[in-house]
Amino acid sequence: VNPAQSAPRTDPLAGLPPAIRKQLREGFVEEAATLIEELEAALLILEHQPDDEETMNAAFRAAHTIKGSAAGIGFLGVADFTHHLEDTLDAIRRKEQSLATDTLSAMLEGVDLIRALLEADQRGTEGPDTSGCLARLLRDDSLRVALSAALTSPSLVSVERMPDTAAFAGLRTIHVDTLRDEVGADAQVYAISFRLSADAFQRGLDPVSLLSSLSDEARVIRTVADLDRLPSLDDLDPLVSYLRFSLIVATQASEADLRAVFDFCPEGSEVEVTHYERSHLALVAAHKADHASKPERREGWRQLGEILIEEHLLAPEELEFALEQQHTRGPMAAIAPSRQEAVGDEGRTVRVKQAKLDQLINLIGELVTARNALLHLQRVVETEYDVPELFKRMKDTSAVINRSVSQLQTDVLSLRMVPVRTSFQRLPRVVRDVASKQGKLVDLQMLGEDTELDKTVADGLVDPLVHILRNSVDHGVESAEARRQAGKPETGSVRVEARREGNGVLIEVSDDGQGIDPTRIRRAAISKGLITEDAGARLSDTESLDLIFAAGLSTAAEITDVSGRGVGMDVVKSNIVRMGGVVSVSSEIGKGTTIRLQLPLTLSVFRAMLVNAGGEAFALPLEAIRETASVSPTEWHTMRGRPVARLGGELVGLVPLTDALGMRWNASAPIEASKDLLVIVVDGGGERVGLVVDALEQPQEIMVKPVEAYLSASGAISGASVMGDGRVALVLEPVATVALALAYTQSMAAIGEAA
Amino acid sequence: MRTVLAVDDSISMRQLVGFALKKAGYNVVEAVDGRDALVKLRGAKVDLVVTDLNMPNLDGIGLIKEIRAQPAYKFTPILMLTTESSSDKKTAGQAAGATGWIVKPFDPDQFLKVVKRVCP
């Protein structure tokens, strides 16, 4: 019996005590999650750097370890499937299978399946169907491998190359000069790529004839055959055209002349003719030169820069300039994170259960509360008792405690800080999937990945970020064709940058796409009934852009299956606001869009405005408060039976906080025409409301503790905090609070109309 | 040497096409209509067919269909000579299996450029 094949079909841990089994299984799930992420990151790098052996080995190792541990722990679904993925990686490593796009997509699909299988094995349920993915993973690839080996054999390319020895140095220089003269300043460089429709051969069309015609029109610098769509030998139909040919040419002929060569390409053919600006060439060259030290197995567009240098179409100064540009602008074509980022080096670490950290943070919360109480007590002693000696000693002691608690608070909160990288991890995949689905070219740059955030904020950030990026690629970045017509580089750029700003973290997602037209947004909002025509007319462009965060607005001319039907940006906004963050958008038509997320460093401690209403204390996150005002009777009036005031240049409805929260048993005094009103203007979910309260207190740092579900049922109360004087303040969640207040206004208006 | 079968019921067109092709180094076989062309195809291995569309006996579209039906000429490029006004004919020709078209009138250089695109 071959032991490798007789993997235990039963639980290999069956003989162990339940507690240990549980521990082992939990340990594996955690380990596997990390390995799966490593595998995915490595695959995304390989997509751009297929010859990176180190990454290849890292991917293989990750799959190998997942398989091994899974079998050992009894996650058999994971073990079986990962085994096949490992085989595929091994075949690619041994160059028996090519790393074509479809294989790579199958492997990424496999990564998703491993995740699903992990969950299924954990629950002991039936896993997803893997047969489709397996078929794609295990395809017969011998034809493609053989062809690509033949295409890149040295004998085929060495003819063009000059020997790089001292003896040829003089000749080389002459060669440079003559070539520059020959190609000349007026010669243009084009990249041409074509794939004939599947039935082209049967229409008498032959790619070889087209290549030959092209060489009549232009000096062909390099031709590359793309074998990506070539099927396995079994599936190969010799009557069908599969290959794509890509060329770089220098010519005096016009672009129209080059395109004319493809006049007869039947429907279903793909033809691209791209003119390259010299400056653009230089940039591409610089990026590619970066990877030039690695031996290239697959010839492709990636080599454009190298080729151009080799062909002396680019001067060294141009390259240097480009390198500099690249240095300041960050790497181009960086959909995949660079290797250092994937491997990560954060020093030695200890794994701690998050629950333990949360418990520690809760405890610090108690301590902060006690400290606040001590400070309060100190004030009482100072003002109400005449014991200066005692007060002085108390003050000294409490100063020490105060300092230590503050330090401890910072340190413990920092334990839960994680680099924002963890939230960015899924983004390359998202961009890749959406871009490839829509046939767009998109570079994703991620900057500031080391910026730290509280784990809970980082976790809450993932979904909004994914959504924003989907939107950027789906609606922002145009098709290559449209971009070319707009005079932009064909490859769109999406940039995600995180950095510390003030007391929090700023995350910017910007694209160089078509931008958002405020007029279109306004029209859409009016036609969807979100705002009235009058209100629309009064909106500035900036205010109109903000409407993208309103629920139920979608302006995409056609609804795609990627970004859905306009549910999204409103959810993004409410998620961010719920965490005490702020979202804003700016956009320039034709230039691009930037979405800014300002986030608190941590969720559990934040600066809050304390207010009193109906005898209760409430805390509101400072970020949500637009302004506080004392409104005199002349400054507010009644509109449709409800009090309103002009605050911050805007008409704001006034609602007593106690009414909004439905505190009928101890409501504050009703709004009377004779008295001044204390109002805090709160933003939440794109709406604004003026909450009338009885008293305002100084803003302070508070520690939020969770409250029982029955209290937070309305969603408006997100927690509670113990104040320095021992009172408990209820922490209000701005989005839900504003919604409650507006609902109250509407119900009162309805009653008013009925009466 | 590449052999081109030039099919046209007009003597002057056949001469014009033949002259341009011979000068560029092609071997030229001429046929006066579709039926004649099918006979000529049986005799020689042809690398390209250039055919007029309006012809007696068997017209261009019919000829293209006949040619494509023969295994030996499944992949052979076929160019049709059309007039600007007959875009319907162009579509019909493509549906029948034509590779491309040349719009009459044309000058010899233009003509050769198109020929080379499908049969260098």
Side-chain angles (χ1 to χ4, degrees):
Chain A
V1 181
N2 182 348
Q5 292 193 332
S6 64
R9 291 286 102 186
T10 52
D11 186 352
L13 308 180
L16 295 171
I20 294 192
R21 280 172 54 181
K22 184 165 175 280
Q23 198 183 334
L24 284 170
R25 289 174 68 90
E26 277 173 7
F28 169 71
V29 169
E30 214 167 292
E31 179 200 8
T34 312
L35 287 167
I36 291 169
E37 265 166 26
E38 278 174 28
L39 176 60
E40 185 173 39
L43 289 174
L44 288 170
I45 294 174
L46 285 173
E47 181 169 34
H48 294 266
Q49 302 168 26
D51 304 308
D52 188 335
E53 276 181 32
E54 213 166 305
T55 306
M56 187 70 229
N57 287 334
F60 177 78
R61 267 197 313 275
H64 181 77
T65 312
I66 296 169
K67 178 203 71 178
S69 307
I73 297 291
F75 282 57
L76 300 177
V78 175
D80 285 349
F81 180 74
T82 313
H83 190 164
H84 292 299
L85 189 71
E86 181 195 353
D87 283 349
T88 305
L89 280 164
D90 196 36
I92 295 169
R93 208 162 60 145
R94 286 185 277 114
K95 313 245 185 278
E96 285 165 13
Q97 190 167 344
S98 71
L99 189 53
T101 311
D102 48 8
T103 313
L104 205 102
S105 295
M107 287 197 285
L108 283 169
E109 189 189 335
V111 168
D112 292 341
L113 283 171
I114 296 175
R115 284 200 179 101
L117 286 164
L118 186 68
E119 209 164 292
D121 281 348
Q122 200 178 353
R123 291 194 193 135
T125 54
E126 188 72 20
D129 178 22
T130 56
S131 55
C133 182
L134 277 181
R136 282 188 285 282
L137 278 178
L138 304 174
R139 63 203 292 280
D140 172 11
D141 208 29
S142 51
L143 181 62
R144 210 186 285 183
V145 170
L147 258 176
S148 67
L151 281 170
T152 54
S153 76
S155 62
L156 282 177
V157 287
S158 61
V159 194
E160 308 172 34
R161 297 219 168 116
M162 297 281 279
D164 189 13
T165 60
F168 285 90
L171 188 59
R172 206 158 232 272
T173 330
I174 299 163
H175 182 63
V176 174
D177 295 341
T178 47
L179 212 112
R180 295 200 124 216
D181 289 345
E182 185 196 321
V183 173
D186 49 341
Q188 301 296 318
V189 178
Y190 292 90
I192 299 171
S193 181
F194 68 94
R195 190 203 309 272
L196 296 181
S197 64
D199 66 345
F201 296 159
Q202 295 170 67
R203 297 178 161 277
L205 217 59
D206 180 352
V208 176
S209 306
L210 295 180
L211 288 169
S212 155
S213 299
L214 271 177
S215 65
D216 289 344
E217 299 284 352
R219 204 171 76 84
V220 177
I221 295 167
R222 181 78 41 112
T223 310
V224 168
D226 177 356
L227 312 177
D228 221 45
R229 286 218 190 139
L230 201 62
S232 68
L233 206 46
D234 288 341
D235 299 331
L236 184 86
D237 179 349
L239 304 187
V240 168
S241 137
Y242 294 105
L243 303 188
R244 170 185 286 280
F245 293 89
S246 300
L247 307 91
I248 301 163
V249 303
T251 182
Q252 312 261 10
S254 70
E255 189 173 327
D257 286 342
L258 291 178
R259 285 187 184 275
V261 170
F262 301 99
D263 270 354
F264 298 152
C265 289
E267 210 170 303
S269 305
E270 299 161 33
V271 178
E272 281 176 52
V273 178
T274 308
H275 177 237
Y276 274 106
E277 302 291 339
R278 284 187 86 84
S279 58
H280 185 78
L281 283 177
L283 275 175
V284 176
H287 173 60
K288 302 313 179 195
D290 214 27
H291 301 289
S293 53
K294 288 176 192 132
E296 297 281 355
R297 180 167 58 88
R298 267 207 327 190
E299 305 265 313
W301 287 115
R302 54 179 51 253
Q303 285 182 312
L304 178 58
E306 274 173 76
I307 294 163
L308 288 161
I309 294 163
E310 211 174 274
E311 295 287 331
H312 312 294
L313 284 169
L314 272 183
E317 315 86 69
E318 283 173 311
L319 173 67
E320 221 159 279
F321 165 76
L323 275 171
E324 213 168 280
Q325 283 270 304
Q326 191 194 15
H327 189 73
T328 49
R329 292 177 44 176
M332 299 180 65
I335 278 197
S338 73
R339 172 151 15 99
Q340 299 93 293
E341 286 160 349
V343 174
D345 178 27
E346 294 158 12
R348 292 168 68 85
T349 54
V350 176
R351 263 173 206 275
V352 181
K353 276 216 165 67
Q354 187 169 342
K356 284 193 176 175
L357 272 184
D358 293 347
Q359 200 184 336
L360 195 59
I361 283 168
N362 266 336
L363 234 102
I364 293 292
E366 305 280 357
L367 208 51
V368 168
T369 308
R371 187 258 330 252
N372 290 351
L374 188 63
L375 294 177
H376 178 75
L377 202 60
Q378 183 186 312
R379 271 194 301 278
V380 173
V381 170
E382 184 185 14
T383 52
E384 293 177 22
Y385 299 85
D386 187 20
V387 280
E389 255 325 283
L390 177 63
F391 170 68
K392 196 187 165 301
R393 279 163 62 189
M394 187 179 178
K395 200 176 146 193
D396 291 347
T397 312
S398 71
V400 175
I401 291 176
N402 193 9
R403 248 200 329 275
S404 307
V405 168
S406 296
Q407 185 61 47
L408 194 60
Q409 185 186 347
T410 317
D411 288 354
V412 169
L413 284 177
S414 80
L415 289 182
R416 212 170 57 174
M417 299 293 253
V418 291
V420 75
R421 166 175 303 120
T422 55
S423 317
F424 285 2
Q425 229 151 19
R426 270 177 66 194
L427 304 183
R429 180 77 191 276
V430 167
V431 169
R432 177 196 183 273
D433 287 355
V434 178
S436 76
K437 201 168 197 171
Q438 305 196 337
K440 291 178 179 174
L441 303 169
V442 183
D443 279 349
L444 172 65
Q445 285 184 50
M446 299 192 292
L447 300 169
E449 291 163 275
D450 288 321
T451 313
E452 291 195 322
L453 266 178
D454 189 288
K455 176 104 171 44
T456 41
V457 180
D459 288 347
L461 186 61
V462 176
D463 286 345
L465 271 181
V466 165
H467 197 90
I468 293 171
L469 258 96
R470 278 207 186 116
N471 260 326
S472 294
V473 178
D474 189 13
H475 302 317
V477 176
E478 315 89 328
S479 67
E481 178 63 33
R483 291 181 64 87
R484 193 163 49 221
Q485 279 167 9
K488 297 182 185 179
E490 282 190 2
T491 302
S493 146
V494 177
R495 196 180 137 104
V496 184
E497 181 174 7
R499 59 172 182 269
R500 274 297 285 272
E501 202 176 78
N503 225 354
V505 169
L506 176 72
I507 295 181
E508 273 187 356
V509 181
S510 45
D511 63 63
D512 68 345
Q514 57 191 355
I516 305 172
D517 181 354
T519 319
R520 241 178 94 203
I521 299 279
R522 258 194 304 268
R523 273 206 304 270
I526 293 168
S527 75
K528 300 251 161 70
L530 297 174
I531 53 170
T532 63
E533 199 120 0
D534 286 354
R538 282 196 303 272
L539 286 183
S540 70
D541 282 354
T542 317
E543 287 166 333
S544 304
L545 280 183
D546 276 339
L547 285 170
I548 65 166
F549 299 116
L553 185 104
S554 174
T555 58
E558 35 188 295
I559 289 157
T560 61
D561 62 342
V562 177
S563 297
R565 304 172 164 265
V567 284
M569 288 311 274
D570 56 323
V571 178
V572 166
K573 177 154 188 177
S574 57
N575 281 354
I576 297 296
V577 170
R578 195 159 292 136
M579 295 194 292
V582 176
V583 190
S584 59
V585 57
S586 59
S587 185
E588 201 176 329
I589 299 173
K591 294 270 175 63
T593 303
T594 299
I595 308 264
R596 270 179 213 84
L597 311 177
Q598 283 160 276
L599 297 158
L601 272 185
T602 167
L603 280 188
S604 36
V605 175
F606 63 90
R607 285 188 69 71
M609 173 69 85
L610 290 171
V611 302
N612 280 300
E616 299 283 344
F618 296 95
L620 268 155
L622 268 190
E623 288 90 350
I625 294 174
R626 197 38 89 97
E627 65 174 306
T628 60
S630 175
V631 181
S632 69
T634 53
E635 288 172 310
W636 67 267
H637 52 279
T638 310
M639 191 186 263
R640 288 194 207 116
R642 301 302 307 160
V644 293
R646 185 159 288 278
L647 291 166
E650 201 175 311
L651 214 51
V652 178
L654 304 180
V655 183
L657 179 57
T658 49
D659 287 350
L661 296 176
M663 290 167 56
R664 288 195 207 94
W665 56 96
N666 52 356
S668 4
I671 294 178
E672 288 162 15
S674 60
K675 69 173 193 184
D676 287 1
L677 301 177
L678 264 181
V679 175
I680 41 172
V681 181
V682 180
D683 276 346
E687 306 285 351
R688 182 172 295 179
V689 79
L691 297 172
V692 181
V693 299
D694 300 333
L696 291 173
E697 289 178 30
Q698 283 300 310
Q700 60 173 276
E701 202 163 81
I702 62 163
M703 189 87 190
V704 184
K705 313 269 291 177
V707 289
E708 293 298 328
Y710 69 86
L711 253 181
S712 54
S714 67
I717 292 163
S718 61
S721 183
V722 182
M723 305 287 98
D725 57 8
R727 284 180 304 151
V728 172
L730 294 173
V731 181
L732 295 176
E733 196 282 301
V735 178
T737 306
V738 169
L740 276 180
L742 291 174
Y744 174 78
T745 314
Q746 271 153 20
S747 67
M748 291 316 283
I751 291 168
E753 271 159 30
Chain B
M1 194 190 274
R2 302 274 204 176
T3 301
V4 181
L5 175 62
V7 193
D8 205 308
D9 56 341
S10 143
I11 298 176
S12 52
M13 263 330 265
R14 284 204 303 273
Q15 277 176 343
L16 178 64
V17 167
F19 179 74
L21 287 170
K22 279 177 196 153
K23 211 180 137 203
Y26 292 90
N27 182 27
V28 180
V29 177
E30 293 182 17
V32 297
D33 58 28
R35 197 191 290 161
D36 186 26
L38 288 174
V39 175
K40 299 273 163 66
L41 278 175
R42 253 172 253 144
K45 169 70 187 139
V46 165
D47 300 297
L48 168 70
V49 178
V50 178
T51 178
D52 187 25
L53 291 181
N54 278 316
M55 293 180 297
N57 296 321
L58 178 63
D59 74 353
I61 304 288
L63 172 64
I64 293 168
K65 283 183 187 159
E66 290 280 347
I67 295 175
R68 279 284 177 257
Q70 299 183 22
Y73 291 106
K74 216 177 168 90
F75 305 124
T76 306
I78 305 172
L79 293 175
M80 31 183 184
L81 299 171
T82 69
T83 53
E84 208 120 23
S85 56
S86 55
S87 80
D88 282 359
K89 278 283 172 65
K90 201 154 70 183
T91 316
Q94 278 182 289
T99 308
W101 57 90
I102 302 167
V103 177
K104 291 189 284 192
F106 48 79
D107 67 58
D109 282 350
Q110 223 184 327
F111 171 72
L112 275 175
K113 217 170 189 175
V114 176
V115 166
K116 285 192 166 170
R117 219 175 275 162
V118 295
C119 181

